[in-house]
Amino acid sequence: MPYNNNRAHRVGGLALWLPLFLIVSLFFMWGVANNLNDILITQFKKAFVLSDLQSGLVQSAFYFGYFVFAIPAALAMKRFGYKAAVIVGLLLYGAGALLFYPAAQAHEYLFFLAALFIIASGLAFLETSANPLIVAMGDPNTAERRLNFAQSFNSLGTISGVLVGREFILSGIEHSPDELAALSAAQQTAFYTTEVQAVQGPYLVIAAVVIAWALLVAWVKFPATAKDCDDTEPVLRKRDFCALLKRPYYRAAVTAQFFYVGAQVCIWSFMIRYGQEAMPDTGEKALATYLSFSLVAFMVGRFVSTWLMGYIKPARLMLIYAVVNIGLCALAMFSANQAGLIALAATSFFMSLMFPTIFALGIKGLGAEAKAGSSLLIMAIIGGAILTAVMGLVSDISSIHTAVLVPLICFVVIALFARTSERQSWPQQEA
């Protein structure tokens, strides 16, 4: 009998921890996709001979997918539950990754942008479902810390994405305009074809893993929280979102999330580009190492911030971090050298707590409106699409170090939101 009791305990533990493991792993998976984009910007700029604005469209297409599919994800979540939304998200993610093969064969930049849009549509389902699910799994008073912990695994994914891109996509071959002009037409075509097709292998592997993960999620039995759906109420309606947008504090959270994602995507997307201007004799692979170190700092920041939140209120800690990043961006603007590149990379440590903290503060106390609230906060990710294009345009007009003004302004907005959070007594809980 003791043996049977122990066996039942082990089975019960597995039933609890395996679904949690599968959900937390999603944070890793979308981290890989997000930060492979930073490598793609450098790769496509070289392979398709693009301006900074044109190469920044990688992020515009990607984050526009989040914007378009955030509300459909919330509708699916309300009607069919968290688990179904996760499966749909994984299948869309895998389909978009598979499309990299025909896009490379066609050698068409627009086809790649379409594939990235589809990947992002899947990630919108994953983020819209996984973030509130983690918040729901425990004490509301520790939601910010719990979500920061889960997001720490996202950091592992971001680092992995850059490492995969550096080793398997970037060739390290960087021809100057004069060197390209000296090549024959056939040699130029061969060079551009090789650079474009370098993206095929990594994305086909990603597609296989993600689709297999969807099958595993479908097979594993999840707790009632993950399968929760509401068949007695109609799907989310316009008035659900209108009610949310009448809450000044919630609107401020959505605005802060827009500018936070814009700042993060701008900095990571153009870090290699900044390094090419600040340290012109340094190759793209070496500069990708700076991005890798930046993402390590981001991961460490997540764990450190989770610990610090036990002693400092999340909003106050975010205010401190935002002010530090304003200073670091100013240094990068006025010192376009190695010191500026290090300052830009260091911003990642202080960005680490911002997304999950803004998200958790934004939906805290929303109750039944949390699914609608989650979708609008995910829609705010379109900041990565709009502000990255703005930074690319500013860079084309002036210089990449001047364009760092864009993320600097973003951190000013985040600092103002953090200050407001310190002074508010959660008005969204009163409605």
Side-chain angles (χ1 to χ4, degrees), residues 103-294:
Q105 293 299 311
H107 200 96
E108 285 288 342
Y109 184 48
L110 287 178
F111 290 179
F112 282 110
L113 296 182
L116 287 167
F117 177 85
I118 294 171
I119 289 174
S121 70
L123 300 190
F125 275 83
L126 296 184
E127 294 207 39
T128 303
S129 54
N131 280 291
L133 184 55
I134 292 293
V135 170
M137 289 180 171
D139 184 354
N141 293 322
T142 58
E144 296 92 342
R145 295 185 71 187
R146 190 164 56 255
L147 190 53
N148 267 278
F149 176 75
Q151 287 276 358
S152 299
F153 293 89
N154 173 260
S155 302
L156 291 173
T158 63
I159 294 168
S160 299
V162 171
L163 291 177
V164 167
R166 186 187 70 181
E167 297 303 320
F168 298 104
I169 295 178
L170 295 179
S171 65
I173 301 172
E174 301 172 78
H175 293 305
S176 67
D178 291 339
E179 290 171 338
L180 278 173
L183 297 177
S184 68
Q187 288 174 321
Q188 288 185 22
T189 299
F191 169 70
Y192 291 134
T193 299
T194 300
E195 294 298 321
V196 168
Q197 292 184 351
V199 303
Q200 287 179 321
Y203 275 87
L204 288 176
V205 171
I206 288 171
V209 171
V210 168
I211 292 172
W213 215 255
L215 296 175
L216 184 58
V217 170
W219 176 71
V220 170
K221 185 176 180 180
F222 273 65
T225 303
K227 296 179 288 186
D228 179 44
C229 58
D230 197 340
D231 294 321
T232 62
E233 292 289 333
V235 296
L236 295 175
R237 298 150 296 187
K238 180 180 178 181
R239 67 178 184 224
D240 296 326
F241 298 102
C242 291
L244 281 170
L245 293 176
K246 288 179 181 177
R247 304 169 184 259
Y249 183 82
Y250 179 78
R251 290 200 307 269
V254 172
T255 302
Q257 200 71 292
F258 174 92
F259 281 97
Y260 165 69
V261 177
Q264 175 190 290
V265 176
C266 282
I267 289 172
W268 290 351
S269 296
F270 289 113
M271 189 174 296
I272 295 175
R273 177 73 184 89
Y274 180 95
Q276 288 171 334
E277 180 183 283
M279 302 166 62
D281 295 328
T282 306
E284 61 184 8
K285 286 203 169 190
L287 292 173
T289 302
Y290 280 86
L291 179 57
S292 298
F293 287 148
S294 181

Side-chain angles (χ1 to χ4, degrees), residues 15-24 26 82-84 86-87 90 133 137 213-228:
L16 175 66
W17 286 104
L18 182 56
L20 183 61
F21 166 74
L22 292 175
I23 295 301
V24 171
L26 301 180
Y82 291 111
K83 180 178 178 179
V86 166
I87 294 170
L90 287 168
L133 184 55
M137 289 180 171
W213 215 255
L215 296 175
L216 184 58
V217 170
W219 176 71
V220 170
K221 185 176 180 180
F222 273 65
T225 303
K227 296 179 288 186
D228 179 44

